[in-house]
Every structure is written in structure tokens, then in C-alpha cells.
Amino acid sequence: MHKSKSNVAKFGRPRSQRRALLQSLSESLILEEAIETTLPKAKAVARHTEKLISQAKKGKDSLHSRRIVLSGLNTVAAAHKLVDEIAPKLAARPSGYFRVERLAARRGDNAQMAKISFVDNLKTAKKSQKDQETQATEKQEDKASKAQTKPTPQAIKDGESKIQPKITTQAPKRAGVRGNR
């Protein structure tokens, strides 16, 4: 008998390098909420990260689930963001958290590129009523404070504005073998 085909995308790498690649791409996807990569990598990252999100949904209550999520990512910050911020926003969705959109082929090697992002816009996810009330009061306070601190047109002409010009400095020239020829 012959060996049956594996369904795992190998990417021409050994297992440890492939695992590190998926962890780093998943971390970038969680922190940035959208990334561009090749189509096969995007599909593999979607599978890997969907499993992590399913574990993260249990992570609020379970330390074990939190540790499983942490083992699937490179940094603690990404794991905490996934468990504390992203997973509660995706609680209503049973699966299918990502959208993979095909982009134009890469110019150098003609590889099919893709953009992977969350299906739900996490920035405009439903907020609790208390959050909306506190934001409304903060906006009112900001408007009141801005009304008090507006400079008069005469003060702006006289140079009393709070905006300062940006100071620019040039980097020193390199005196290296390759730098300046």
C-alpha cells in the first residue's frame, strides 16, 4: 500500500519552523486584526487561529484554556488580547471568524496574495450600555473644556498658539565601506 496524502500544508519547512511561522502569523493577525500574506499561508493561519479563538472563548473561566492559547502564540500580550478583548466580541459566532480575500499576484514570483481579516469589525462591536453612557458624558465634558480653551484669532496672529513647529534633524552621514562611495 502507498502512503495516503496529508492535508497539512508543508510550506517547504520542517515541523518546528512551520509551527513558528503559524504562531507568528497568528500573533500578527490578532494584534493587527488584518494581514496580507500568500493564499496558502492565509488559509493555514485561519485554521490555526480559529482553533485558538475557540479555546479563548473558554479562557475567561479556565486557566487551562488560557494556557493552551498562550502555547499557540508567541507573546503573552497577544494571548491576553485574544482572551480578554477579541473572544468576548466573537461569543455569538460559533465559527468562521475570518475572511480571506484574494489580492493581485506578487510581482517578484507571481505568488497569489491574500488578505485575511476578521469577519466582524471588532472596533465597532456591540458595546455595553454603561460604556455608551460613559462615552456620552466624556464627549460632553470634552466639548465644555474645548469651548473654554479656544484661542482668539488675535492670539493666533500674535504667535500665542499652542502648536509648535516640528523640529527636524538630519541623520549623520555614514562613513562606512558601503555607505558613501
Side-chain angles (χ1 to χ4, degrees):
M1 288 187 79
H2 68 283
K3 185 178 176 183
S4 59
K5 185 179 176 184
S6 172
N7 290 333
V8 177
K10 304 282 184 166
F11 305 124
R13 302 166 194 247
R15 191 178 108 201
S16 60
Q17 290 179 15
R18 192 167 52 244
R19 183 172 182 247
L21 173 76
L22 290 176
Q23 284 180 344
S24 65
L25 286 173
S26 295
E27 179 183 346
S28 297
L29 179 60
I30 289 166
L31 294 176
E32 303 295 325
E33 297 178 2
I35 58 171
E36 289 182 13
T37 183
T38 60
L39 184 64
K41 287 179 188 175
K43 289 179 179 181
V45 167
R47 278 186 232 111
H48 181 260
T49 313
E50 287 213 8
K51 292 174 187 174
L52 292 177
I53 290 175
S54 297
Q55 275 296 333
K57 285 182 176 182
K58 304 174 196 172
K60 272 289 194 196
D61 304 328
S62 169
L63 179 63
H64 180 64
S65 294
R66 229 177 232 273
R67 287 180 174 163
I68 290 173
V69 170
L70 184 58
S71 70
L73 297 169
N74 285 336
T75 61
V76 177
H80 285 311
K81 181 177 180 181
L82 180 61
V83 173
D84 296 333
E85 297 175 21
I86 296 175
K89 292 177 184 176
L90 298 172
R93 182 178 287 276
S95 65
Y97 308 111
F98 297 106
R99 171 185 300 122
V100 177
E101 300 173 17
R102 290 175 184 245
L103 301 175
R106 189 163 50 199
R107 188 170 178 210
D109 59 355
N110 204 29
Q112 178 66 51
M113 298 299 288
K115 179 180 179 184
I116 181 169
S117 59
F118 284 95
V119 173
D120 298 332
N121 190 354
L122 300 178
K123 293 178 180 159
T124 60
K126 295 179 183 177
K127 297 180 181 178
S128 66
Q129 194 172 19
K130 290 181 182 179
D131 291 341
Q132 292 174 353
E133 291 173 1
T134 56
Q135 286 181 353
T137 56
E138 288 174 0
K139 286 180 183 178
Q140 291 173 354
E141 291 172 1
D142 288 342
K143 286 180 183 177
S145 65
K146 285 181 183 178
Q148 294 172 356
T149 60
K150 277 190 177 177
T152 62
Q154 183 63 32
I156 293 173
K157 287 180 184 175
D158 295 338
E160 295 177 16
S161 70
K162 294 181 181 179
I163 300 173
Q164 298 295 323
K166 193 173 188 179
I167 300 172
T168 58
T169 59
Q170 288 185 342
K173 292 195 173 193
R174 289 180 23 171
V177 177
R178 294 179 161 210
N180 300 325
R181 287 189 175 180

